[in-house]
Amino acid sequence: MYCRFLRVVGLVMAACLLLAGATTAQARPYKIGMIHWIAYSPLNVADVKGFWKTLGLEVEVVNFGSNQELNGALEHKRIDIACDMMGSWVGMYMAGAPLKIVAETDWSFGGDKIIVKKGVTPEQLKGSTVGIYLNQPSVTYFLNKYLASINVPLKDAQLVELEPEALADNFISGRFQAIVNYDPQALRAERDGGGEVIATSASWEGVIPEGLVARADVLAEIPREDLIKVIQGWAQAVEWSKDSANWAEYMTILNEKTFEGEAPYSEADLKAMLDSVRIHSRAEQLARNKDGLRQYLVDLHAFLKENGMLTKEFAPEDLLAADVAVDALSR
């Protein structure tokens, strides 16, 4: 009897080990891409503070030097999920990338800037060359808002795309009289290039919403509960970063992770950059993913159609998979 009992115990233990091994084999790390932009710093916080690990998820945050690099990595499946501007996802979708928006997370709210050389008047922008950090609907929609306010059609501006650092360099050297760029490179263009800010993304509330996206085929391979954990980890990181008691550690994460490879920014610069974005609270994020995000896509569609830029027809439902965010944030 005793030997039989031992054999049963041994079989049970072996089965448990096999099950554990199978679970480990099935689990895989997820790569989430971002760029050097302070609104995406909760990704770095969730990583450094181990929020995803606590939820049982292995995540690697990959920080790219430009939107172009990030978009290429997303399109070619070098990352699973990307965090960037919603309008860019629409542009890529129209170009044939099968994308699904998973969650809105934040707004640019002053950090994207239209900068001109001091003394340049709005009238001089008609027919001029404007440097732009990304020629996607995310940015052209913002630029169009300003140009429309001074009665200049978007088609009358000649757009030249350069990555943010090169764009700031070219503005400082005098190649451009006007650019659209974002912090921290926009700050550098202002300070070192004799720049004057004539409009920002705060001028039109919600003009540049941002968030998480994935290719539809990649998304289909990710268990829904894992996606929920990704969003829950983000939400925990947002709450942690908004707690003033964590400010000193948060500054370290910003300089070492969000702006990795760059010279450390001062406390004043980091606070200024944070003031130029709106990272949604849990309640705000829930509301935006229920209704607000859909309205943005409707408005963007109208802009594209009016300007002859609608290269592929779409409805909001073609791109939206934000029900997972609503589920995650409602728990």
Side-chain angles (χ1 to χ4, degrees):
M1 289 289 293
Y2 182 71
C3 291
R4 186 181 300 170
F5 172 76
L6 288 179
R7 283 198 298 272
V8 171
V9 170
L11 288 170
V12 170
M13 290 178 66
C16 289
L17 288 170
L18 283 170
L19 285 171
T23 301
T24 303
Q26 289 170 4
R28 71 173 180 90
Y30 298 108
K31 290 186 176 183
I32 302 181
M34 61 176 286
I35 57 172
H36 293 213
W37 174 241
I38 206 163
Y40 308 155
S41 61
L43 294 174
N44 305 120
V45 170
D47 182 22
V48 172
K49 299 302 295 180
F51 294 142
W52 284 314
K53 282 187 179 179
T54 301
L55 291 167
L57 212 60
E58 187 179 346
V59 174
E60 178 186 352
V61 178
V62 185
N63 201 349
F64 294 91
S66 69
N67 305 83
Q68 290 85 348
E69 291 178 79
L70 173 69
N71 294 348
L74 173 68
E75 189 166 3
H76 297 290
K77 301 186 183 182
R78 293 192 293 272
I79 54 176
D80 301 292
I81 299 169
C83 191
D84 201 18
M85 300 173 289
M86 296 297 178
S88 297
W89 310 140
V90 173
M92 291 175 66
Y93 177 86
M94 289 193 299
L99 300 184
K100 287 288 186 179
I101 295 170
V102 176
E104 181 180 314
T105 56
D106 65 274
W107 289 345
S108 171
F109 202 72
D112 282 83
K113 301 171 181 178
I114 300 173
I115 305 169
V116 299
K117 292 287 187 180
K118 288 177 182 176
V120 171
T121 64
E123 292 74 22
Q124 291 174 286
L125 293 180
K126 186 171 184 177
S128 68
T129 299
V130 179
I132 189 169
Y133 70 86
L134 187 67
N135 196 357
Q136 285 281 10
S138 47
V139 185
T140 54
Y141 182 53
F142 164 50
L143 177 60
N144 182 68
K145 288 283 189 182
Y146 174 72
L147 293 177
S149 74
I150 59 170
N151 298 313
V152 174
L154 180 63
K155 64 181 177 60
D156 286 354
Q158 306 300 313
L159 305 183
V160 175
E161 180 186 283
L162 287 176
E163 294 181 4
E165 186 173 357
L167 184 58
D169 289 340
N170 278 266
F171 181 78
I172 292 166
S173 70
R175 178 185 175 190
F176 296 118
Q177 295 296 299
I179 62 170
V180 182
N181 211 346
Y182 63 88
D183 291 337
Q185 294 302 326
L187 283 171
R188 190 164 69 87
E190 288 178 65
R191 292 172 181 174
D192 301 340
E196 181 179 3
V197 177
I198 56 173
T200 76
S201 48
S203 304
W204 299 277
E205 189 173 277
V207 71
I208 305 181
E210 300 170 323
L212 303 174
V213 74
R215 285 179 57 104
D217 50 353
V218 172
L219 194 63
E221 298 172 355
I222 301 176
R224 183 179 179 85
E225 284 302 312
D226 284 2
L227 283 171
I228 286 171
K229 289 174 183 177
V230 167
I231 295 163
Q232 288 176 333
W234 168 279
Q236 290 177 30
V238 170
E239 291 171 7
W240 183 94
S241 64
K242 289 179 181 288
D243 186 341
S244 59
N246 299 323
W247 174 241
E249 186 179 358
Y250 187 28
M251 282 196 295
T252 299
I253 292 171
L254 290 171
N255 274 320
E256 293 184 356
K257 298 294 184 178
T258 307
F259 301 114
E260 63 179 342
E262 301 182 37
Y265 291 97
S266 68
E267 181 174 7
D269 279 348
L270 292 174
K271 284 184 174 179
M273 284 189 269
L274 277 172
D275 286 342
S276 71
V277 298
R278 291 291 181 270
I279 302 174
H280 301 326
S281 67
R282 181 183 288 265
E284 290 166 342
Q285 192 180 1
L286 182 58
R288 287 295 302 174
N289 283 290
K290 279 184 176 178
D291 301 306
L293 176 55
R294 186 185 187 283
Q295 186 58 51
Y296 166 77
L297 293 174
V298 170
D299 294 342
L300 190 69
H301 180 281
F303 154 73
L304 292 167
K305 189 170 184 178
E306 287 167 10
N307 286 274
M309 300 164 65
L310 188 65
T311 56
K312 177 182 178 180
E313 187 58 63
F314 69 89
E317 291 71 25
D318 296 331
L319 286 116
L320 285 176
D323 59 300
V324 68
V326 173
D327 187 0
L329 295 163
S330 299
R331 294 188 180 188

